[in-house]
């Protein structure tokens, strides 16, 4: 059986043809063009879905998307301004009626977790927390092999844990949230402020690897902030694995070693003894795989 999977983000929409065994047999992407509005975005997904249905005889459509998702109904219960008009969108119903195939929808960070549980670095792990570092910080929680959605579909919002009460203003309306200090964008901002010029993150991490003192100091402060957030997650949930996702996870063991080292001084011994910090192994394919995993579990 083949499923057409989509990963809807604010910049691009990725698609893949995925087998029920978790193999991606074809994939591609097209721009989200969010300036055209959410209705047009959904029409573009419908158009591509019809094309893929024709070409690959897929049995269904699995969607990973930005925004808080009621995954029972396949509706967006809340979305930020990144995709104007997306809040309230009945994604599953609209695509189902236009394409004539069953559609399942899940939040993108939850899909990262499900993809890693199915085919990545959380395979066989009963209790883990998945963190994605990007513009903000996303979180998804799997306890006893079950994804935890929360009472209104927004459990795991780790980025809005307070780090410095009264600190930097956050997109959520509060001040001092973790993601203002420990997201990938926050690191980029700190590098620019401290160095007085823009440095791309890959370039910055090269400097850290080469031991450039100023860069190492900025990196260590950033890791310390991130680890403060993870410390609370570990004490609260006692996971055996923390999965680190987002583009920055390309830094591999440089990142996981630094986070582990920082956590070793923050987490109580019994919690720490069970804990492993791992990179998301499926990279930007995890969301497509997770969407299909969710589809197969909810047929
Ligand atoms: Zn916030």
């Amino acid at each position: 059986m083949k499923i057409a999977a989509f990963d809807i983000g604010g910049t691009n929409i990725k698609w893949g043809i995925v087998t029920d065994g978790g193999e991606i047999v074809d994939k591609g992407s097209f721009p989200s063009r969010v300036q055209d509005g959410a209705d047009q975005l959904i029409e573009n997904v419908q158009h591509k879905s019809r094309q893929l249905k024709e070409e690959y005889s897929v049995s269904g459509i699995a969607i990973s998307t930005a925004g808080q998702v009621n995954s029972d109904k396949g509706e967006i219960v809340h979305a930020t301004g990144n995709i104007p008009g997306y809040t309230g969108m009945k994604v599953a119903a609209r695509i189902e009626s236009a394409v004539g195939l069953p559609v399942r929808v899940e939040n993108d960070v939850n899909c990262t977790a499900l993809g890693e549980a199915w085919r990545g670095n959380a395979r066989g792990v009963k209790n883990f927390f998945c963190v994605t570092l990007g513009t903000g910080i996303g979180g998804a929680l799997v306890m006893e092999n079950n994804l935890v959605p929360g009472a209104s579909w927004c459990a795991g919002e780790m980025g809005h844990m307070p780090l410095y009460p009264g600190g930097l203003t956050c997109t959520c309306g509060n001040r001092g949230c973790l993601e203002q200090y420990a997201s990938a964008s926050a690191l980029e901002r700190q590098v620019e402020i401290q160095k007085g010029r823009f440095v791309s993150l890959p370039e910055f991490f090269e400097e850290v690897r080469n031991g450039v003192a100023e860069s190492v100091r900025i990196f260590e402060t950033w890791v310390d902030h991130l680890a403060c957030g993870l410390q609370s997650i570990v004490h609260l949930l006692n996971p055996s694995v923390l999965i680190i996702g987002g583009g920055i996870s390309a830094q591999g063991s440089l990142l996981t070693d630094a986070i582990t080292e920082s956590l070793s001084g923050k987490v109580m011994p019994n919690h720490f003894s069970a804990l492993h910090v791992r990179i998301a192994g499926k990279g930007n394919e995890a969301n497509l795989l997770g969407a299909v995993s969710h589809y197969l579990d909810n047929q």
Side-chain angles (χ1 to χ4, degrees):
M1 181 169 66
K2 292 196 199 85
I3 311 293
F6 290 88
D7 181 19
I8 300 174
T11 309
N12 287 305
I13 299 176
K14 301 187 191 78
W15 62 266
I17 302 296
V18 185
T19 69
D20 53 358
E23 300 301 326
I24 299 179
V25 296
D26 198 4
K27 61 177 181 173
S29 74
F30 53 94
S32 309
R33 286 194 276 268
V34 293
Q35 69 276 12
D36 298 343
D39 283 317
Q40 185 60 49
L41 182 147
I42 292 299
E43 276 172 35
N44 294 345
V45 174
Q46 287 168 355
H47 177 75
K48 188 70 192 175
S49 298
R50 282 193 213 96
Q51 210 180 316
L52 295 174
K53 179 186 177 188
E54 191 93 332
E55 196 175 337
Y56 295 94
S57 327
V58 295
S59 318
I61 295 168
I63 293 178
S64 155
T65 180
Q68 296 170 358
V69 178
N70 176 334
S71 55
D72 282 350
K73 294 182 175 168
E75 294 176 10
I76 308 298
V77 291
H78 180 76
T80 64
N82 288 348
I83 306 178
Y86 206 33
T87 298
M89 180 66 72
K90 296 177 178 6
V91 177
R94 281 190 49 173
I95 298 176
E96 263 176 17
S97 67
V99 184
L101 288 173
V103 178
R104 298 290 177 271
V105 187
E106 179 57 280
N107 162 268
D108 51 7
V109 184
N110 288 347
C111 283
T112 307
L114 293 173
E116 289 296 314
W118 190 25
R119 302 284 294 172
N121 284 342
R123 256 181 295 186
V125 182
K126 279 170 69 176
N127 296 288
F128 71 94
F129 192 86
C130 175
V131 187
T132 57
L133 304 172
T135 315
I137 297 181
L141 164 61
V142 171
M143 298 303 290
E144 302 299 316
N145 293 319
N146 288 310
L147 183 77
V148 178
S152 57
W153 313 98
C154 48
E157 289 276 22
M158 182 190 170
H160 303 286
M161 287 169 33
L163 183 66
Y164 293 113
L168 297 170
T169 303
C170 185
T171 53
C172 72
N174 286 315
R175 296 177 74 99
C177 292
L178 182 71
E179 72 175 32
Q180 296 303 317
Y181 301 87
S183 63
S185 296
L187 177 59
E188 220 166 41
R189 272 199 305 275
Q190 268 312 309
V191 170
E192 190 165 3
I193 290 167
Q194 307 264 336
K195 288 178 177 283
R197 64 189 166 91
F198 176 79
V199 179
S200 73
L201 285 184
E203 211 181 320
F204 168 75
F205 279 109
E206 205 44 48
E207 293 178 359
V208 174
R209 284 199 164 80
N210 292 332
V212 175
E214 186 187 32
S215 302
V216 170
R217 188 176 48 74
I218 296 168
F219 176 59
E220 285 175 348
T221 302
W222 177 80
V223 166
D224 187 55
H225 285 144
L226 177 60
C228 279
L230 292 170
Q231 172 187 12
S232 295
I233 295 288
V234 171
H235 284 151
L236 190 65
L237 305 172
N238 187 205
S240 62
V241 172
L242 294 172
I243 294 280
I244 312 291
I248 207 169
S249 63
Q251 302 307 324
S253 60
L254 176 71
L255 197 57
T256 50
D257 289 352
I259 293 170
T260 305
E261 168 69 22
S262 184
L263 283 174
S264 72
K266 292 180 168 64
V267 170
M268 288 191 280
N270 193 33
H271 288 79
F272 190 73
S273 68
L275 186 67
H276 304 272
V277 181
R278 297 178 187 164
I279 290 302
K282 283 293 169 185
N284 58 16
E285 292 181 347
N287 291 6
L288 295 175
L289 292 167
V292 172
S293 171
H294 173 257
Y295 177 96
L296 294 171
D297 287 345
N298 295 279
Q299 279 188 90

